[in-house]
Amino acid sequence: MKTKIKKETNQKEISKKTKLSEIMSINNKAAEILFDEGMICMGCPMAMQETLEQGCLAHGMTKKEIDKLIVRLNVK
Protein backbone atom coordinates (compact mmCIF):
# COMPACT_ATOMS: atom_id res chain seq x y z
CA MET A 1 0.00 0.00 0.00
CA LYS A 2 1.45 3.37 -0.99
CA THR A 3 1.14 6.53 1.04
CA LYS A 4 -1.90 8.32 -0.28
CA ILE A 5 -3.28 11.80 0.13
CA LYS A 6 -6.79 11.81 1.54
CA LYS A 7 -8.85 14.16 -0.60
CA GLU A 8 -11.15 15.37 2.15
CA THR A 9 -8.43 16.27 4.67
CA ASN A 10 -5.35 16.53 2.46
CA GLN A 11 -3.48 14.42 5.06
CA LYS A 12 -1.14 11.54 4.29
CA GLU A 13 -2.27 8.04 5.11
CA ILE A 14 -0.01 5.79 7.19
CA SER A 15 0.99 2.57 5.44
CA LYS A 16 3.35 -0.34 6.07
CA LYS A 17 6.03 1.59 4.18
CA THR A 18 5.72 4.81 6.20
CA LYS A 19 8.91 5.54 8.11
CA LEU A 20 8.43 5.44 11.88
CA SER A 21 10.02 8.88 12.02
CA GLU A 22 7.19 10.29 9.85
CA ILE A 23 4.25 8.79 11.70
CA MET A 24 4.00 11.46 14.41
CA SER A 25 3.75 14.23 11.81
CA ILE A 26 0.82 12.38 10.24
CA ASN A 27 -1.03 11.41 13.44
CA ASN A 28 -0.21 13.16 16.72
CA LYS A 29 -1.80 10.26 18.66
CA ALA A 30 0.47 7.68 17.03
CA ALA A 31 2.91 7.41 19.96
CA GLU A 32 0.07 6.47 22.33
CA ILE A 33 -1.24 3.88 19.86
CA LEU A 34 2.22 2.39 19.33
CA PHE A 35 2.88 2.29 23.09
CA ASP A 36 -0.44 0.43 23.53
CA GLU A 37 0.94 -2.21 21.15
CA GLY A 38 4.16 -2.54 23.16
CA MET A 39 6.22 -0.58 20.68
CA ILE A 40 8.31 2.20 22.15
CA CYS A 41 9.87 2.89 18.77
CA MET A 42 9.44 6.63 18.77
CA GLY A 43 12.53 6.98 20.98
CA CYS A 44 14.59 4.32 19.23
CA PRO A 45 17.45 5.41 16.95
CA MET A 46 16.34 2.76 14.43
CA ALA A 47 12.98 4.50 14.07
CA MET A 48 14.55 7.11 11.82
CA GLN A 49 15.32 4.47 9.21
CA GLU A 50 12.74 1.70 9.67
CA THR A 51 9.31 1.48 8.12
CA LEU A 52 6.31 0.72 10.28
CA GLU A 53 6.25 -2.82 8.91
CA GLN A 54 9.94 -3.41 9.71
CA GLY A 55 9.47 -2.16 13.26
CA CYS A 56 6.37 -4.26 13.80
CA LEU A 57 7.99 -7.41 12.45
CA ALA A 58 11.00 -6.80 14.70
CA HIS A 59 8.57 -6.73 17.63
CA GLY A 60 7.04 -10.06 16.59
CA MET A 61 3.78 -8.78 15.15
CA THR A 62 1.96 -10.78 12.49
CA LYS A 63 0.88 -9.28 9.16
CA LYS A 64 -2.74 -9.33 10.40
CA GLU A 65 -1.76 -7.45 13.57
CA ILE A 66 0.14 -4.91 11.47
CA ASP A 67 -2.91 -4.35 9.25
CA LYS A 68 -5.08 -3.74 12.34
CA LEU A 69 -2.50 -1.31 13.72
CA ILE A 70 -2.46 0.63 10.45
CA VAL A 71 -6.23 1.03 10.64
CA ARG A 72 -5.90 2.41 14.19
CA LEU A 73 -3.13 4.78 13.16
CA ASN A 74 -5.21 6.20 10.31
CA VAL A 75 -8.20 7.09 12.49
CA LYS A 76 -7.99 10.82 13.16
Side-chain angles (χ1 to χ4, degrees):
M1 180 188 314
K2 291 187 174 185
T3 302
K4 299 177 184 175
I5 303 295
K6 291 185 178 181
K7 291 179 184 176
E8 68 276 2
T9 62
N10 210 22
Q11 293 289 320
K12 286 186 177 182
E13 184 174 305
I14 296 169
S15 75
K16 292 178 183 181
K17 302 302 178 197
T18 304
K19 297 270 186 182
L20 286 166
S21 60
E22 297 174 38
I23 292 176
M24 284 300 296
S25 66
I26 298 171
N27 181 347
N28 61 1
K29 295 181 182 178
E32 182 180 332
I33 294 167
L34 291 170
F35 289 158
D36 286 348
E37 294 293 329
M39 297 179 63
I40 54 171
C41 298
M42 302 318 282
C44 175
M46 289 300 295
M48 295 299 142
Q49 302 301 321
E50 285 188 331
T51 64
L52 176 61
E53 181 177 41
Q54 290 169 326
C56 290
L57 291 173
H59 283 271
M61 294 179 76
T62 66
K63 301 247 183 215
K64 188 173 182 178
E65 290 170 327
I66 296 168
D67 290 339
K68 287 180 182 180
L69 175 59
I70 290 169
V71 170
R72 287 184 66 202
L73 289 168
N74 281 301
V75 173
K76 305 282 189 225

